[in-house]
Amino acid sequence: MKLLNSLILLVLTCLVSSINTQFISIQKYDFSGNCKNSSDSASSFEASSESAAICMQNDLLSGIVTNEGVCLIFNEVPTTFIISTKGDYIVRSIYDINDNNCQGGIIENKAIEIDECFVECADDYHGSTYLFSTETSLNYPSNTFMEISYNGECDGQWKTSFNYLQYYIVNKCNVAHEIETHTFSVGCNSTSSWVSEYAGEVCTVEPTVTTSYPIVDNCGDLDNSNFIDYCNI
Ligand SMILES: *[C@@H]1O[C@H](CO)[C@@H](O)[C@H](O)[C@H]1NC(C)=O
Ligand SMILES: *[C@@H]1O[C@H](CO)[C@@H](O)[C@H](O)[C@H]1NC(C)=O
């Protein structure tokens, strides 16, 4: 009887902890906001989050799904994301540009509304449209090229020791770091992935250069994390 009770307790504990596991989803959409005069305002985040933006599924370009507190590079800067205690917003913590393990102390925290489409402005004409949400199970869209980071045994079993994944919807026109003259699209098949770069603000018919990469699994590359490539088409 005692054994049965402890078993039930164990099962319950596992259930509760799996319910409590929350993933943070960061979706980046085609820029759809208005950034005019955003630079006038003191805080670009607060101001920009109020500018009208629409996150339409068809405009989804790329995204990240991460566990809480995992150090990753977001918009070229080492960053961690956690969910607030009450679960009503996400805290984005930024670290020094050279602090690739997020060990050197937080430089800036930003609170981000959950399930609210917003624009983060780079200048008067350019920005990024984001939707942050929390999820109790690991979801990611199809038609994507994904790079997945996981810990532990480098056996491809990434779902059990998951850190984060980053995906690009294939054949969409992305703007790199809001520099309008640097646009690119991503494609993949079971053996390769490739990035095509274009001149100008839209991805014209002919890319100026296309670089291919083999689909690989990298073991223990950076701070013992494993990376796996996945063409999810
Ligand atoms: C933006 O700023 C310019 C110059 O400072 C001004 O002429 C224009 O009216 C402003 N636009 C808006 C929408 O506030
Ligand atoms: C994948 O794409 C590469 C580059 O375009 C090509 O060389 C290769 O044959 C393709 N592999 C398959 C399995 O289609």
Side-chain angles (χ1 to χ4, degrees):
M1 204 54 187
K2 239 189 177 151
L3 182 65
L4 190 63
N5 280 343
S6 5
L7 272 179
I8 290 172
L9 193 67
L10 184 69
V11 168
L12 278 179
T13 313
C14 290
L15 270 180
V16 168
S17 58
S18 68
I19 286 168
N20 282 342
T21 303
Q22 293 239 297
F23 300 100
I24 297 170
S25 160
I26 301 157
Q27 294 181 318
K28 185 173 178 176
Y29 290 81
D30 213 8
F31 175 57
S32 65
N34 176 13
C35 283
K36 200 86 181 99
N37 295 351
S38 67
S39 46
D40 294 350
S41 103
S43 160
S44 67
F45 173 69
E46 259 87 35
S48 59
S49 68
E50 284 159 21
S51 61
I54 305 165
C55 290
M56 302 274 282
Q57 204 51 47
N58 268 349
D59 296 333
L60 180 61
L61 299 178
S62 63
I64 292 171
V65 181
T66 180
N67 258 323
E68 285 190 76
V70 172
C71 185
L72 52 86
I73 306 296
F74 181 69
N75 288 348
E76 300 198 300
V77 181
T79 305
T80 58
F81 298 94
I82 58 165
I83 304 167
S84 69
T85 320
K86 284 183 176 171
D88 48 357
Y89 59 90
I90 287 163
V91 181
R92 165 171 149 191
S93 301
I94 295 166
Y95 299 79
D96 185 83
I97 189 97
N98 298 314
D99 185 9
N100 284 317
N101 299 317
C102 304
Q103 299 288 321
I106 296 168
I107 287 178
E108 191 183 4
N109 280 323
K110 288 182 175 183
I112 299 177
E113 303 271 358
I114 291 171
D115 294 333
E116 191 171 296
C117 189
F118 70 94
V119 167
E120 201 166 66
C121 293
D123 61 28
D124 277 0
Y125 300 96
H126 303 97
S128 302
T129 304
Y130 291 111
L131 183 66
F132 282 61
S133 55
T134 60
E135 287 169 358
T136 49
S137 60
L138 193 51
N139 297 312
Y140 46 87
S142 55
N143 249 355
T144 46
F145 173 65
M146 309 205 301
E147 287 179 299
I148 304 154
S149 162
Y150 68 103
N151 278 337
E153 196 75 31
C154 192
D155 54 3
Q157 300 299 309
W158 55 271
K159 285 188 183 179
T160 52
S161 50
F162 174 75
N163 292 327
Y164 68 92
L165 64 83
Q166 186 152 25
Y167 61 81
Y168 286 93
I169 308 279
V170 295
N171 301 328
K172 292 279 189 180
C173 193
N174 298 271
V175 180
H177 317 304
E178 320 325 324
I179 304 164
E180 66 273 22
T181 48
H182 187 184
T183 50
F184 66 96
S185 66
V186 175
C188 66
N189 63 20
S190 58
T191 55
S192 318
S193 67
W194 51 90
V195 177
S196 299
E197 295 174 57
Y198 304 85
E201 295 221 11
V202 289
C203 297
T204 50
V205 180
E206 281 300 315
T208 50
V209 60
T210 294
T211 314
S212 288
Y213 307 90
I215 297 270
V216 287
D217 295 351
N218 289 310
C219 295
D221 250 23
L222 299 162
D223 47 309
N224 294 323
S225 301
N226 310 309
F227 287 86
I228 191 167
D229 290 344
Y230 181 27
C231 185
N232 185 28
I233 292 180

